[in-house]
Amino acid sequence: MPHTKLYESRGAHYDHDTQTTRFRLHAPNARNVWLVLNSYGIAQYRLEMNKTHEGLWEIVTEKAQPGRTYLYLINDFHGRQKLRTDPFSFSVISNLITRRIQSVVHDERTYQWGDQSW
């Protein structure tokens, strides 16, 4: 049976208790994946992610607080490197300097939904 709420386990998830962010990306055929943390559109950190037995790449870091922009750098099966946005990001921003869409670490506590009765 397929998982119907992949957004709960993939993408970037900030943890208030530990003040860290967990990133998970499904890329089973990738050779390597790095998390690229940006500041004003310029790469500030490049962190190597670890591959699990399920084809997921993951990392937990304190360097990615809410509001931080990021991309994944994927070394694909053919040896080509590609920068990609997070397909499960809750927020993205278009950077006018680099002319690239970047994912943003989102804090789910910043907006309280008021439509529970729906």
Side-chain angles (χ1 to χ4, degrees):
M1 182 169 160
H3 195 298
T4 58
K5 294 184 179 182
L6 287 174
Y7 63 90
E8 291 178 347
S9 64
R10 310 266 171 93
H13 294 274
Y14 180 70
D15 183 334
H16 282 272
D17 295 332
T18 62
Q19 295 186 347
T20 60
T21 304
R22 184 194 73 221
F23 295 85
R24 272 200 192 133
L25 174 71
H26 186 251
N29 295 323
R31 290 182 181 176
N32 298 93
V33 178
W34 293 270
L35 173 66
V36 179
L37 299 174
N38 303 305
S39 178
Y40 299 102
I42 299 169
Q44 188 174 22
Y45 297 103
R46 184 171 139 171
L47 308 172
E48 190 168 3
M49 298 178 75
N50 301 307
K51 188 174 185 180
T52 70
H53 66 282
E54 301 165 333
L56 292 173
W57 294 82
E58 59 186 12
I59 190 169
V60 176
T61 181
E62 71 284 346
K63 291 179 170 70
Q65 298 297 306
R68 168 73 83 162
T69 57
Y70 68 97
L71 294 165
Y72 294 119
L73 177 61
I74 300 171
N75 186 10
D76 72 12
F77 184 75
H78 301 289
R80 294 182 298 251
Q81 289 190 342
K82 300 174 182 181
L83 275 173
R84 297 288 188 233
T85 57
D86 186 344
F88 286 94
S89 61
F90 291 101
S91 181
V92 295
I93 190 168
S94 177
N95 186 300
L96 298 176
I97 297 169
T98 61
R99 297 181 185 255
R100 176 178 287 281
I101 304 262
Q102 298 179 10
S103 300
V104 180
V105 176
H106 176 72
D107 182 357
E108 64 194 41
R109 293 185 185 180
T110 58
Y111 183 80
Q112 295 297 319
W113 291 94
D115 60 351
Q116 290 82 6
S117 61
W118 284 88

